[in-house]
Each structure stands twice: as C-alpha cells, then as structure tokens.
Amino acid sequence: MKIRVTVNGEPVEADVWEGESLLFALRERMGLPGSKNACEQGECGSCSVLLDGTLVCACLVLAAQADGHEVVTVEGLGRGERLHPVQEAFVEAGAVQCGFCTPGLVVAVADLLERSPSPSEDEMREALSGNLCRCTGYAKIFDAVRLAAGRRA
Ligand code: FES
Ligand code: FES
C-alpha cells in the first residue's frame, strides 16, 4: 500500500507492507536511519519520534497508521547544519558514549522541554524512563537535560 506522510516538514510517499512498522519505513524506505531499532518491542526508546507532536516508539506504530500524519525524527530537529539545542547540550555534557540510545533520548528530551521548559528532577526521570542507555549511567544525560533547560530559561 502507498502512504503519504509529512516527515520533518516534507511530504513523503512510500510503498509499505501493511504489517510493517513506522520505524522500518523510516529507516529502510525513507532514508532516515537516525531512529534506531534495538528491541522493536517498545522497551528501549531508541526509536522515539514525534507523531503529530506526541512522543511514540516508532517500532510500535504501523507505517500505515502514519498515513496522512506528521512525523518528526531526530533528523528533523536541527536546522540545516545547526544542531538542536538538546543535541548541543548532549555533546557539551559528554552524554554520549556508544551513541545508540542518543537519537531517541534527544527526541524525548526535546519533547520534554517543549512541554515543561524547566522540568523538576522527578519530571526528568519520569520523562526519560522509557529510554534505556547501557553505557552512561544516566548522570551525564541528566546533566545535558539541565544544560538544555537552563539555556531555554
Ligand atoms: S526499538 Fe522501539 S522501543 Fe526499542
Ligand atoms: S550511550 Fe550507549 S546505550 Fe547510551
């Protein structure tokens, strides 16, 4: 079936199988490998994207369900060569090790700061509880969130 999706502000058409995930369609059909596939079961958050402005795991959404909707991936957060402030904060705070979790975390943090520009520690932990990182121990990730939030204030 053919789907039409607005992806990172651009109209995109793709031929997809009825059962395939939005994550697969983004990565394999639309040339957007930034969203990572790890668990493909909604457990790790590495595939986090915004669907009509709501944070979702792209592995749990059918590509067909995105037909006619708007998707923002990690590739769509920055402006041209300019990183999104959350991406800059991750770099500056040293919140990246292997980097596999980073795209999903960046999307989740950007979403958090849109909803809550100065999140409490509990809000931060709650908002990122669906994003697993095997490397960092999370301390520097939370430093990056504080840094990005401080710059918005
Ligand atoms: S790959 Fe989607 S939540 Fe893990
Ligand atoms: S930096 Fe490796 S999983 Fe998070």
Side-chain angles (χ1 to χ4, degrees), residues 23 36-47 57 59:
L23 177 61
K36 301 301 179 212
N37 52 344
C39 71
E40 300 195 57
Q41 296 181 2
E43 299 287 344
C44 74
S46 66
C47 63
C57 293
C59 68

mmCIF file of all heavy atoms in Angstrom, residues 23 36-47 57 59, ligand 1:
data_model
loop_
_atom_site.group_PDB
_atom_site.id
_atom_site.type_symbol
_atom_site.label_atom_id
_atom_site.label_comp_id
_atom_site.label_asym_id
_atom_site.label_seq_id
_atom_site.Cartn_x
_atom_site.Cartn_y
_atom_site.Cartn_z
ATOM 1 N N LEU A 23 8.953 2.553 12.111
ATOM 2 C CA LEU A 23 10.415 2.557 12.248
ATOM 3 C C LEU A 23 11.071 1.949 11.008
ATOM 4 O O LEU A 23 12.026 2.516 10.452
ATOM 5 C CB LEU A 23 10.826 1.773 13.507
ATOM 6 C CG LEU A 23 12.328 1.644 13.733
ATOM 7 C CD1 LEU A 23 12.985 3.001 13.911
ATOM 8 C CD2 LEU A 23 12.610 0.735 14.930
ATOM 9 N N LYS A 36 16.761 4.494 15.894
ATOM 10 C CA LYS A 36 17.454 3.201 15.966
ATOM 11 C C LYS A 36 16.478 2.066 16.280
ATOM 12 O O LYS A 36 15.509 2.256 17.014
ATOM 13 C CB LYS A 36 18.547 3.235 17.040
ATOM 14 C CG LYS A 36 19.595 4.294 16.799
ATOM 15 C CD LYS A 36 20.292 4.099 15.471
ATOM 16 C CE LYS A 36 21.318 5.158 15.182
ATOM 17 N NZ LYS A 36 21.437 5.448 13.763
ATOM 18 N N ASN A 37 16.805 0.885 15.723
ATOM 19 C CA ASN A 37 16.000 -0.290 16.079
ATOM 20 C C ASN A 37 16.820 -1.206 16.979
ATOM 21 O O ASN A 37 17.842 -1.736 16.568
ATOM 22 C CB ASN A 37 15.481 -1.024 14.839
ATOM 23 C CG ASN A 37 16.565 -1.361 13.837
ATOM 24 O OD1 ASN A 37 17.660 -0.805 13.894
ATOM 25 N ND2 ASN A 37 16.278 -2.270 12.932
ATOM 26 N N ALA A 38 16.368 -1.315 18.198
ATOM 27 C CA ALA A 38 17.057 -2.168 19.156
ATOM 28 C C ALA A 38 16.120 -3.291 19.574
ATOM 29 O O ALA A 38 16.202 -4.411 19.082
ATOM 30 C CB ALA A 38 17.531 -1.357 20.345
ATOM 31 N N CYS A 39 15.177 -2.994 20.464
ATOM 32 C CA CYS A 39 14.293 -4.062 20.950
ATOM 33 C C CYS A 39 13.131 -4.346 20.002
ATOM 34 O O CYS A 39 12.643 -5.463 19.937
ATOM 35 C CB CYS A 39 13.761 -3.693 22.333
ATOM 36 S SG CYS A 39 12.553 -2.345 22.309
ATOM 37 N N GLU A 40 12.683 -3.337 19.303
ATOM 38 C CA GLU A 40 11.486 -3.424 18.445
ATOM 39 C C GLU A 40 10.271 -3.946 19.209
ATOM 40 O O GLU A 40 9.405 -4.602 18.647
ATOM 41 C CB GLU A 40 11.775 -4.249 17.190
ATOM 42 C CG GLU A 40 12.901 -3.601 16.374
ATOM 43 C CD GLU A 40 13.023 -4.125 14.961
ATOM 44 O OE1 GLU A 40 12.041 -4.045 14.238
ATOM 45 O OE2 GLU A 40 14.121 -4.597 14.621
ATOM 46 N N GLN A 41 10.223 -3.664 20.510
ATOM 47 C CA GLN A 41 9.101 -4.088 21.351
ATOM 48 C C GLN A 41 8.620 -2.972 22.257
ATOM 49 O O GLN A 41 7.933 -3.221 23.250
ATOM 50 C CB GLN A 41 9.523 -5.273 22.241
ATOM 51 C CG GLN A 41 9.877 -6.503 21.480
ATOM 52 C CD GLN A 41 10.270 -7.644 22.381
ATOM 53 O OE1 GLN A 41 10.242 -7.536 23.611
ATOM 54 N NE2 GLN A 41 10.655 -8.751 21.792
ATOM 55 N N GLY A 42 9.011 -1.744 21.994
ATOM 56 C CA GLY A 42 8.550 -0.648 22.828
ATOM 57 C C GLY A 42 9.218 -0.559 24.183
ATOM 58 O O GLY A 42 8.708 0.097 25.091
ATOM 59 N N GLU A 43 10.378 -1.222 24.344
ATOM 60 C CA GLU A 43 11.013 -1.267 25.664
ATOM 61 C C GLU A 43 12.176 -0.299 25.828
ATOM 62 O O GLU A 43 12.499 0.079 26.947
ATOM 63 C CB GLU A 43 11.542 -2.688 25.934
ATOM 64 C CG GLU A 43 10.495 -3.769 25.942
ATOM 65 C CD GLU A 43 9.630 -3.721 27.185
ATOM 66 O OE1 GLU A 43 10.018 -3.055 28.157
ATOM 67 O OE2 GLU A 43 8.563 -4.350 27.169
ATOM 68 N N CYS A 44 12.828 0.106 24.722
ATOM 69 C CA CYS A 44 14.114 0.801 24.888
ATOM 70 C C CYS A 44 14.100 2.280 24.515
ATOM 71 O O CYS A 44 14.969 3.040 24.923
ATOM 72 C CB CYS A 44 15.195 0.097 24.077
ATOM 73 S SG CYS A 44 15.071 0.384 22.294
ATOM 74 N N GLY A 45 13.133 2.704 23.723
ATOM 75 C CA GLY A 45 13.030 4.124 23.363
ATOM 76 C C GLY A 45 14.015 4.594 22.317
ATOM 77 O O GLY A 45 14.027 5.780 21.969
ATOM 78 N N SER A 46 14.830 3.699 21.776
ATOM 79 C CA SER A 46 15.838 4.153 20.799
ATOM 80 C C SER A 46 15.202 4.594 19.480
ATOM 81 O O SER A 46 15.850 5.236 18.657
ATOM 82 C CB SER A 46 16.869 3.053 20.538
ATOM 83 O OG SER A 46 16.265 1.963 19.898
ATOM 84 N N CYS A 47 13.937 4.261 19.286
ATOM 85 C CA CYS A 47 13.227 4.590 18.037
ATOM 86 C C CYS A 47 12.266 5.761 18.224
ATOM 87 O O CYS A 47 11.395 5.971 17.382
ATOM 88 C CB CYS A 47 12.434 3.365 17.584
ATOM 89 S SG CYS A 47 11.182 2.937 18.816
ATOM 90 N N CYS A 57 7.013 5.360 20.271
ATOM 91 C CA CYS A 57 8.020 4.423 19.807
ATOM 92 C C CYS A 57 7.639 4.042 18.380
ATOM 93 O O CYS A 57 6.590 3.423 18.161
ATOM 94 C CB CYS A 57 8.029 3.173 20.687
ATOM 95 S SG CYS A 57 8.582 3.476 22.362
ATOM 96 N N CYS A 59 8.664 1.828 16.588
ATOM 97 C CA CYS A 59 8.572 0.382 16.362
ATOM 98 C C CYS A 59 7.191 -0.161 16.702
ATOM 99 O O CYS A 59 6.847 -1.263 16.298
ATOM 100 C CB CYS A 59 9.637 -0.366 17.157
ATOM 101 S SG CYS A 59 9.414 -0.334 18.956
HETATM 102 S S1 FES B 1 13.231 -0.225 19.160
HETATM 103 FE FE1 FES B 1 11.379 0.784 19.613
HETATM 104 S S2 FES B 1 11.316 0.853 21.770
HETATM 105 FE FE2 FES B 1 13.105 -0.305 21.325
#
